[in-house]
Amino acid sequence: MNGRSIAGRAATVTAASIGALALLTAPASAAPLEDGLTHLTEIAGEDTAARAGVGALTSFTEIVGGDALREVAAQFTPFSYAAPTFGCGSNGPITTIIAAATYEGPGPRDEFSLTPGDMRFSASPRHSGVPLASGLSVAWVNVNTGHSGIVALDDQTEYHLPSLSKTVHTGAGTVIASMWGAIDYPGARCVMTPTVGTFVVPDLPVQQTEAPAAPPTPEPISPGSGESNSGGPNTSKAPAPETPAPAPAPAPAETTTPSPAPAAPSAPSAVTVDG
């Protein structure tokens, strides 16, 4: 008997047991809820595992009742019960998987917060090792709006390995969900039977990203003031330094006319001496 056969039989037994309890209560009378469940049945088609998961969800709504689901005020983070799991485990071939959902609540937000109206479904198997492949699925219905869907938990880590999680936009309101499927590990396959849960997604405003403020426009600077009116640094051009007037040319020095040299004395004239 392989893991797929075990999964089919376990899912059938789980759905049948929940369906037997459903006979004790009246069916829900909420049109949006019925529309959502009908949509899930159409999506599941002839897939045996998907039909078992949707069947478990339908039986759960019949047991609790649509009116009671709308009045749920508490926020249930984990699913209602741990899912019996076959084919793997630390202490034998039978173990459990804890399924949970995370959604944004009132309070401060940061860059890692979910968008209001989104839910992140996740699974935590009690099996050691790193998962190699995820075959988990989630069927969900928003009881207040009737929105529904079936999604695969196929998100991956930064190392391209299954994160066993998926983020979907369910919108605000009471959300019911079921999870089932298989997880492959080295040398083992965990076959998870359906589990169901109820969650209340608050109606919160979407946080808008503020655009950066535009830089202030500098105020005009009065010509010649030398400083701006806003007290900021003076960005006006300083006046060009005035070019000094050229110095007057020096007056020409007076030329002294040299006095004429004295005339040489004339030679004495010849003297006749009487002899």
Side-chain angles (χ1 to χ4, degrees):
M1 182 179 294
N2 57 22
R4 188 178 297 274
S5 299
I6 294 175
R9 293 189 177 184
T12 303
V13 171
T14 303
S17 60
I18 297 177
L21 293 175
L23 298 177
L24 302 178
T25 60
S29 59
L33 176 58
E34 292 176 352
D35 292 343
L37 292 174
T38 301
H39 182 223
L40 292 183
T41 303
E42 295 173 352
I43 295 176
E46 299 301 324
D47 189 330
T48 303
R51 290 179 67 88
V54 174
L57 194 59
T58 302
S59 299
F60 177 77
T61 60
E62 293 175 349
I63 294 172
V64 178
D67 294 336
L69 289 172
R70 286 188 183 83
E71 296 175 356
V72 173
Q75 296 183 1
F76 297 94
T77 299
F79 278 59
S80 298
Y81 56 88
T85 304
F86 303 92
C88 68
S90 303
N91 299 321
I94 300 177
T95 184
T96 57
I97 292 179
I98 303 299
T102 306
Y103 44 90
E104 192 67 20
R109 305 176 195 170
D110 54 29
E111 57 180 333
F112 302 104
S113 299
L114 293 175
T115 301
D118 284 359
M119 293 186 66
R120 178 181 293 126
F121 296 102
S122 59
S124 301
R126 296 187 63 182
H127 183 79
S128 59
V130 178
L132 301 178
S134 170
L136 298 179
S137 298
V138 165
W140 60 270
V141 179
N142 188 319
V143 175
N144 299 90
T145 64
H147 293 168
S148 60
I150 298 179
V151 295
L153 273 68
D154 54 4
D155 285 351
Q156 295 186 343
T157 67
E158 58 181 326
Y159 303 106
H160 304 291
L161 294 172
S163 64
L164 306 181
S165 65
K166 183 69 173 182
T167 301
V168 298
H169 184 75
T170 62
T174 300
V175 176
I176 56 175
S178 64
M179 183 184 297
W180 70 92
I183 308 171
D184 288 335
Y185 287 89
R189 165 171 278 195
C190 296
V191 181
M192 174 185 179
T193 60
T195 180
V196 296
T198 309
F199 313 92
V200 178
V201 182
D203 188 6
L204 300 176
V206 178
Q207 190 173 16
Q208 300 292 338
T209 303
E210 296 183 358
T217 304
E219 297 183 9
I221 302 172
S222 301
S225 63
E227 60 181 11
S228 63
N229 296 333
S230 60
N234 184 13
T235 57
S236 60
K237 295 183 179 181
E242 297 181 359
T243 303
E254 296 182 359
T255 303
T256 305
T257 303
S259 301
S266 58
S269 58
V271 178
T272 301
V273 180
D274 291 337

